[in-house]
Amino acid sequence: MYTLNCRGKLLSLQKPVVMGILNITEDSFYAGSRHQINNTLLHTAEAMLRSGAAILDVGGQSTRPGSKKLTAAEEAAAVIPAITAICQAFPDAVISVDTFYASVAKEAVAAGAAMVNDISAGTLDATMFATVAALQVPYVLMHMQGNPQTMQQEPEYKDVVTEVLDFLLKKIALLQQAGVNDILVDPGFGFGKTTVHNFTLLKNLHVFSLLRRPVLLGVSRKGSIYRTLGITAEEALNGTTVLHTMGVLNGANLLRVHDVREAVEVIKLCEHY
């Protein structure tokens, strides 16, 4: 059983939990996840919490393939007021900041965030590991080949499962050396992977339990679903639910999702499988 210390709030992962996605950007691949800092953001946050989200993941940087990279200052200007507003409205909520900038992570935690979700595994900011260690918050370690601007330009692996596993293992060692205690691992679905790579990782998700860390699954409404089905991201909820079910049955401890209620239902039903 895993337990995360989120700035004094203990979050149990005895059974899988849900992380709701709150994007403060106009460039997210799924329009339904875009929010501005107004009543819409707070209404969405409240709806996610009421539906059973254990964590709210706030991000200001679009990381869809080919997206424009924001500076740390631009990203902070988007996410810090949002985190502040959510924490004021829902003081018991566990907030994660989705960033690869150490400075944004530091500001976010000061504003009330209690977790850092870094798509780059520290590769885009060399000070990230030391910063997270000093902040003493849980850290989501994700695998990505390349960067959001280049990652989908013909990604290649000899063995995607082994290579991602090896990458995460080495990064965990570095994080432990830096003094980070709570580490979650994310194979990085859609980040420098083809559809075949993504389904191979999903099929072998149980392998990542060898790392003895909670496994985060981030497949919600992604291209592997809607391209396979010949639909759009807006139409990909049913396909997302199918992949969430596969993931939970294969060892996922945390689902990062756009649609909280449906993901919570997956977890509840899988308990009886």
Side-chain angles (χ1 to χ4, degrees):
M1 185 183 79
Y2 299 111
T3 303
L4 303 177
N5 185 351
C6 302
R7 298 183 71 201
K9 299 173 185 175
L10 294 181
L11 179 61
S12 172
L13 300 183
Q14 183 174 7
K15 65 178 183 179
V17 300
V18 171
M19 171 188 278
I21 300 168
L22 287 172
N23 288 322
I24 316 300
T25 172
E26 289 300 314
D27 196 30
S28 173
F29 77 94
Y30 171 50
S33 69
R34 302 171 193 162
H35 302 285
Q36 297 301 308
I37 304 169
N38 53 27
N39 287 336
T40 302
L41 172 70
L42 294 180
H43 286 164
T44 302
E46 182 178 23
M48 287 183 169
L49 292 169
R50 287 184 178 275
S51 295
I55 306 165
L56 298 178
D57 193 39
V58 180
Q61 183 104 227
S62 174
T63 52
R64 66 173 179 79
S67 58
K68 178 190 174 186
K69 183 179 178 181
L70 299 181
T71 66
E74 290 171 330
E75 185 179 294
V79 300
I80 303 306
I83 291 170
T84 300
I86 295 169
C87 288
Q88 288 176 346
F90 312 105
D92 293 330
V94 175
I95 310 298
S96 166
V97 61
D98 182 358
T99 184
F100 47 73
Y101 289 122
S103 62
V104 176
K106 188 174 181 179
E107 285 188 65
V109 171
M115 183 180 296
V116 175
N117 181 14
D118 177 11
I119 64 164
S120 82
T123 60
L124 296 179
D125 189 331
T127 65
M128 179 61 92
F129 286 7
T131 298
V132 174
L135 294 171
Q136 284 297 292
V137 295
Y139 177 78
V140 180
L141 170 69
M142 196 195 83
H143 175 274
M144 173 174 59
Q145 188 177 92
N147 58 55
Q149 290 70 44
T150 64
M151 63 188 182
Q152 290 307 106
Q153 296 174 8
E154 300 182 5
E156 290 186 16
Y157 302 86
K158 291 183 179 178
D159 183 328
V160 66
V161 176
T162 300
E163 289 178 47
V164 172
L165 185 69
D166 186 55
F167 173 91
L168 294 172
L169 186 63
K170 291 176 179 177
K171 289 288 185 176
I172 287 171
L174 293 175
L175 283 163
Q176 289 179 312
Q177 289 173 18
V180 180
N181 297 318
D182 288 337
I183 305 166
L184 302 89
V185 295
D186 178 354
F189 293 87
F191 285 83
K193 283 99 176 169
T194 65
T195 295
V196 171
H197 293 146
N198 290 325
F199 278 104
T200 300
L201 286 168
L202 183 61
K203 182 179 180 181
N204 293 279
L205 195 66
H206 62 280
V207 171
F208 293 92
S209 65
L210 295 172
L211 297 171
R212 299 186 181 278
R213 303 288 173 174
V215 177
L216 185 151
L217 179 66
V219 295
S220 183
R221 294 183 181 266
K222 286 187 175 177
S224 290
I225 298 169
Y226 62 78
R227 282 193 291 269
T228 298
L229 298 176
I231 56 176
T232 65
E234 284 67 28
E235 299 170 304
L237 175 55
N238 184 61
T240 295
T241 299
V242 172
L243 266 59
H244 281 162
T245 304
M246 295 177 184
V248 169
L249 293 178
N250 219 0
N253 301 104
L254 198 157
L255 303 178
R256 183 178 181 273
V257 311
H258 299 95
D259 309 280
V260 172
R261 180 177 63 83
E262 291 83 355
V264 169
E265 289 178 352
V266 166
I267 291 167
K268 287 181 178 178
L269 290 171
C270 285
E271 285 184 69
H272 297 277
Y273 180 74

